Amino acid sequence: MRPGEASAVDAPVSPVGFTESTHPVRDEPDLLATRHAVRSAAVAAGFDLVGQTMIVTAASELVRNAYIHGGGGTLTISAIGAAHGRRGLRLTVADSGPGIQDVEAALTDGFSTGAGLGHGLGGTRRLVDEFAIDTEAGRGTTVTVVRWVT
Amino acid sequence: MTAPPPAGVPIIRLGDILLTGLLDDLDDKTALRFTEELTERIADEGARGVVIDISRLEIIDSFVARVLTESAAAGRLLGARMIVAGMRPAVAITLCGLGLALSGVETALTAERAVAALGWRRDPARVHGSRPHATR
Ligand SMILES: Nc1ncnc2c1ncn2[C@@H]1O[C@H](COP(=O)(O)OP(=O)(O)OP(=O)(O)O)[C@@H](O)[C@H]1O
Ligand SMILES: [Mg+2]
């Protein structure tokens, strides 16, 4: 995480048991590898099966977008926790591709500049508790999401 | 002939029904070839019905949803009844969250029920205690 960015999804990090890992998103095998990494992190964080399925699906959408639209990038998985014991996962998917021209349009179901169904971004927002996009034409796109263990 | 190379996904024939299933670690190229091969098999073999078992899929993202929707639509255009079977409950809930309820695609709880809906019956003596994959 870059400090000062996506403050809406910054969460207090517990000093104990904090883990963070970064994974490349360069090719198709990476799409599967990142899904497996998120699944393991979700199990370790204590998500139930529906919660695991939602966060892994969200990761799959974001990582595929970074691969297809962003020309590749990275996924950072952070186990986060508040002082009172709430646990969750933060996923940060960053690429240095063309950026998203119109974020509102991109979040609309059915909007795609490619062959997709155009549900990836808008759908992902509904699968998580916190969602932020930082994008700039020519500089790239960073999508940060948090899902808390219910 | 310009037949595509065989996809990594087996397609089994049961009379005039085709039975196939997707695996979780499906890569994009295999997924796209799957739609092509299944559609060609429907035409070549005159399949009346097709069951696509998805009980092994731990997630369905918008890419896999598109593969399923397009495969079902292509098969239906060739006159086959297409049934997607065996979706896990957590996957169903997540797909609704994504806003992709596979509308227009016929579904069944298990591959066995789908095959029965298509009029194919296994030996009644062996019906009990079976898993969906036992029909292969
Ligand atoms: N990382 C990215 N870089 C550049 N553009 C992006 C990125 N992510 C999304 N977009 C843009 O936002 C649009 C909507 O994305 P979304 O994931 O909702 O749909 P899609 O990827 O086109 O289709 P699918 O339903 O298969 O995900 C994309 O078509 C693309 O134009
Ligand atoms: Mg997408």
Side-chain angles (χ1 to χ4, degrees), chain A residues 61 64-65 69 119-121, chain B residues 62:
Chain A
E61 296 294 346
R64 186 182 300 278
N65 279 353
H69 306 297
H119 278 242
L121 224 39
Chain B
S62 59

Side-chain angles (χ1 to χ4, degrees), chain A residues 28 35 60-61 64 119 126, chain B residues 24 28 61-62 97-99:
Chain A
E28 283 223 9
R35 262 161 57 174
S60 181
E61 296 294 346
R64 186 182 300 278
H119 278 242
R126 291 188 292 270
Chain B
D24 212 39
D28 292 21
D61 59 13
S62 59
L98 273 184

Side-chain angles (χ1 to χ4, degrees), chain A residues 20-77:
Chain A
E20 184 167 280
S21 59
T22 297
H23 308 261
V25 180
R26 301 153 307 201
D27 51 24
E28 283 223 9
D30 286 346
L31 301 184
L32 292 178
T34 48
R35 262 161 57 174
H36 289 146
V38 174
R39 171 77 65 177
S40 310
V43 170
F47 281 96
D48 66 11
L49 191 52
V50 171
Q52 289 169 33
T53 306
M54 287 189 174
I55 189 103
V56 175
T57 305
S60 181
E61 296 294 346
L62 298 178
V63 161
R64 186 182 300 278
N65 279 353
Y67 172 61
I68 304 256
H69 306 297
T74 56
L75 161 72
T76 300
I77 307 170

Side-chain angles (χ1 to χ4, degrees), chain B residues 86-108:
Chain B
M87 187 182 296
R88 298 181 181 199
V91 171
I93 292 167
T94 302
L95 262 187
C96 291
L98 273 184
L100 296 169
L102 302 189
S103 41
V105 178
E106 185 175 358
T107 52

Side-chain angles (χ1 to χ4, degrees), chain A residues 63-132:
Chain A
V63 161
R64 186 182 300 278
N65 279 353
Y67 172 61
I68 304 256
H69 306 297
T74 56
L75 161 72
T76 300
I77 307 170
S78 313
I80 53 176
H84 53 276
R86 190 156 80 141
R87 286 159 66 84
L89 277 190
R90 177 170 56 218
L91 308 179
T92 308
V93 180
D95 65 62
S96 34
I100 300 176
Q101 295 278 331
D102 182 343
V103 172
E104 267 321 298
L107 281 165
T108 306
D109 282 347
F111 176 90
S112 174
T113 56
L117 297 171
H119 278 242
L121 224 39
T124 296
R125 184 161 61 167
R126 291 188 292 270
L127 297 181
V128 297
D129 297 312
E130 296 167 39
F131 181 98

Side-chain angles (χ1 to χ4, degrees), chain B residues 13-82:
Chain B
R13 185 175 173 168
L14 287 176
D16 55 3
I17 290 170
L18 294 177
L19 180 59
T20 184
L22 296 181
L23 294 180
D24 212 39
D25 282 357
L26 187 73
D27 67 70
D28 292 21
K29 277 176 206 73
T30 309
L32 295 173
R33 253 194 288 140
F34 166 77
T35 303
E36 270 181 48
E37 202 201 340
L38 182 61
T39 309
E40 295 207 350
R41 288 277 301 267
I42 291 168
D44 289 351
E45 301 178 26
R48 193 173 51 80
V50 176
V51 178
I52 304 175
D53 178 19
I54 55 164
S55 61
R56 307 275 282 274
L57 294 184
E58 291 186 350
I59 70 155
I60 296 183
D61 59 13
S62 59
F63 174 78
V64 176
R66 181 159 69 98
V67 171
L68 287 171
T69 305
E70 289 182 356
S71 300
R76 196 162 49 236
L77 286 174
L78 300 185
R81 184 169 164 196
M82 309 292 293

